[in-house]
Amino acid sequence: MKNIKSRELVSYNMTDKTGFVVTPWEVSGKIDYNNLIKQFGTVRINDVLIKRIEKHTGPAHFMLRRGMFFSHRDLNWLLDKYEKKEKFYLYTGRGPSGRMHLGHLMPFVFTKWLQDKFKAKLVIQMTDDEKFMFRQDLELEQTTNQALSDALDIIALGFKPKNTEILIDTFYSKTLYNNAIRVAKKITFSTIKAVFGFNNSTNIGSIFYTSFQAVPAFLESVRQGKNVPCLIPHGIDQDPHFRVSRDVMPKLGYYKPAAIHNVLMPGLKEGGKMSSSDPSSAIYTTDSAKEVKKKIGSAFSGGRDTVKEHREKGGNPDVDMSYQLLNFLFEPDDKKLKEIYESYKNGDMLSGELKAIAIEKVNSYLANHQKERVKAKKVLEKFLLRD
Ligand code: TRP
């Protein structure tokens, strides 16, 4: 146990050795998630842990069963507390740098499930400050407006203001700043350099930023005046921020937050993830039915070049993006998903047929989502924290 500290703070820029990069601001190459678990020092979620969760939730969410949430920190500790009647709250977030796509919805869908099953309060941080400071091409007004727009997508998933708070950094800056300085005082520049690979030309806002992302992980403890356990569902790319935060929080007298990590949703093209900066790789929450049809129509397929060859040799669902859409979000029924898998793999189902299923599912989901998104405008203000 002695070495935990130095291992948790290990630098994670793995470009040279592994051919892929996962950092909070860059994800590229074919990600090896086993390798990430090793490099980051997190723990894989196994069946024993899923069973333990199911004792409290009933049948696990399909994203847990299918390994989209694949890794964690201190989940057993969190459940120990929960079983001793110490309730936890949830904290997650979103960096408003561009239009929201399906890959961005994924962790929020799962967070909603956790919230419902554990009856937990949820804090959602929207980091308009972060995206302004990290992205040379974005003005503050743009990232703040994007945060307001993204909040509608999040609310559209069914969150309620009675147990959900949305905290846009620049709207809640007094509380955040007054707590962030306590974190910042415990982090040295050399730690930040080692973890994030920053150098002397990095702007000082970026260097300070991690202390802002840390605050919601103990905010509830500040408010209640006693330690409240916290669980953070987040994309594994955010782990460096929380590795640093976890190191600091006991020094301020708070629990380390537990975390549950998701993989990044693959993009529509071969390799890589859904990316807001590449419209053809992603389906946005506000895309029209026509756009969805076109995007899935030209998405990467695991089919063969000719129908004859496909019938003979079968397709490859594992690399097929239409199949992956069903797997990641749109076919919660394992049995139905398996039927599609088998039938595509043995050549009965053609790529066109698989695409048609995906188009239908995505479009009926988005039709409803877009309706809810409009309704969300009326209640938005009830979710927002201001000080
Ligand atoms: N930095 C995150 C991003 O760029 C946003 C964020 C803030 C976040 N707090 C979080 C994400 C907590 C997950 C959990 O997207």
Side-chain angles (χ1 to χ4, degrees):
M1 291 304 278
K2 255 203 195 134
N3 285 327
I4 287 263
K5 188 176 163 216
S6 52
R7 187 165 33 107
E8 287 207 347
L9 291 181
V10 74
S11 162
Y12 65 100
N13 192 340
M14 304 189 293
T15 333
D16 305 342
K17 279 169 271 163
T18 56
F20 68 90
V21 191
V22 175
T23 74
W25 40 89
E26 184 188 356
V27 177
S28 65
K30 187 168 171 10
I31 304 167
D32 175 346
Y33 286 104
N34 282 325
N35 197 328
L36 268 188
I37 283 180
K38 247 191 265 152
Q39 292 289 329
F40 285 5
T42 66
V43 181
R44 181 170 280 284
I45 294 177
N46 61 19
D47 289 346
V48 178
L49 182 52
I50 294 181
K51 288 248 156 58
R52 187 171 181 197
I53 295 170
E54 284 183 326
K55 272 202 288 186
H56 302 288
T57 61
H61 192 275
F62 72 86
M63 290 181 191
L64 202 49
R65 297 197 304 269
R66 294 180 194 166
M68 276 117 214
F69 281 80
F70 71 108
S71 149
H72 75 99
R73 290 185 188 273
D74 281 344
L75 251 185
N76 279 306
W77 168 83
L78 187 91
L79 292 168
D80 288 344
K81 292 277 179 200
Y82 186 77
E83 286 163 10
K84 287 183 204 138
K85 304 280 174 267
E86 218 180 303
K87 288 194 71 173
F88 62 87
Y89 74 106
L90 291 157
Y91 158 39
T92 191
R94 154 98 189 124
S97 59
R99 292 167 68 192
M100 258 180 121
H101 58 59
L102 297 178
H104 296 136
L105 288 187
M106 189 180 100
F108 286 98
V109 169
F110 184 70
T111 300
K112 177 78 171 55
W113 180 79
L114 285 173
Q115 181 181 47
D116 292 346
K117 296 296 174 185
F118 287 101
K119 307 216 176 345
K121 178 177 171 177
L122 166 65
V123 182
I124 299 168
Q125 179 179 38
M126 310 204 60
T127 55
D128 55 343
D129 57 340
E130 174 195 14
K131 295 302 156 184
F132 169 62
M133 292 188 294
F134 278 82
R135 291 274 299 260
Q136 298 312 314
D137 55 328
L138 295 175
E139 292 302 326
L140 186 55
E141 200 191 354
Q142 284 172 287
T143 58
T144 305
N145 284 337
Q146 190 63 48
L148 288 165
S149 161
D150 293 354
L152 300 177
D153 281 305
I154 294 168
I155 294 168
L157 299 175
F159 292 105
K160 296 284 176 284
K162 71 171 193 311
N163 57 2
T164 308
E165 295 174 335
I166 296 180
L167 179 170
I168 296 178
D169 281 353
T170 59
F171 289 9
Y172 203 52
S173 44
K174 183 177 166 198
T175 304
L176 284 171
Y177 183 78
N178 291 357
N179 285 290
I181 53 177
R182 300 164 64 210
V183 178
K185 193 173 180 178
K186 304 275 186 222
I187 306 176
T188 66
F189 185 30
S190 68
T191 294
I192 291 294
K193 271 206 275 199
V195 175
F196 296 99
F198 290 161
N199 58 44
N200 284 351
S201 31
T202 306
N203 71 55
I204 61 173
S206 301
I207 296 161
F208 180 71
Y209 170 72
T210 296
S211 51
F212 254 68
Q213 187 155 324
V215 174
F218 60 89
L219 192 56
E220 199 54 30
S221 300
V222 174
R223 286 169 172 163
Q224 294 193 20
K226 63 166 197 219
N227 267 331
V228 186
C230 175
L231 171 62
I232 314 175
H234 67 83
I236 188 75
D237 58 315
Q238 295 296 312
D239 181 67
H241 288 302
F242 294 119
R243 246 180 285 155
V244 176
S245 308
R246 280 167 52 85
D247 201 47
V248 171
M249 284 175 43
K251 296 180 188 164
L252 299 177
Y254 302 116
Y255 292 144
K256 289 183 179 189
I260 183 162
H261 309 123
N262 64 278
V263 302
L264 304 158
M265 187 155 167
L268 299 174
K269 296 173 161 175
E270 188 180 10
K273 60 155 195 160
M274 273 207 184
S275 159
S276 349
S277 50
D278 179 0
S280 64
S281 76
I283 295 175
Y284 299 108
T285 58
T286 48
D287 275 348
S288 69
K290 222 171 114 195
E291 281 166 318
V292 168
K293 192 169 174 209
K294 200 167 139 221
K295 285 182 182 182
I296 296 180
S298 50
F300 188 73
S301 141
R304 303 280 176 176
D305 289 342
T306 64
V307 172
K308 185 167 174 281
E309 198 189 345
H310 190 92
R311 293 273 188 233
E312 274 166 26
K313 298 187 185 151
N316 181 358
D318 295 315
V319 300
D320 189 286
M321 293 326 305
S322 304
Y323 177 79
Q324 290 306 334
L325 283 170
L326 302 177
N327 182 31
F328 269 80
L329 267 173
F330 298 105
E331 186 46 87
D333 185 330
D334 286 350
K335 211 174 129 237
K336 284 193 191 147
L337 188 71
K338 188 154 182 272
E339 277 166 20
I340 294 173
Y341 188 93
E342 299 296 339
S343 137
Y344 191 61
K345 206 175 167 76
N346 70 25
D348 285 345
M349 184 182 282
L350 298 174
S351 290
E353 293 165 332
L354 179 57
K355 281 179 192 284
I357 297 174
I359 290 167
E360 204 280 313
K361 291 261 181 196
V362 173
N363 275 339
S364 70
Y365 180 90
L366 284 187
N368 177 61
H369 181 82
Q370 289 165 7
K371 232 186 280 161
E372 293 298 322
R373 197 177 182 284
V374 173
K375 282 198 228 156
K377 287 183 188 160
K378 285 198 206 94
V379 288
L380 172 62
E381 201 55 42
K382 289 191 191 153
F383 286 85
L384 299 181
L385 295 182
R386 296 177 189 267
D387 64 8

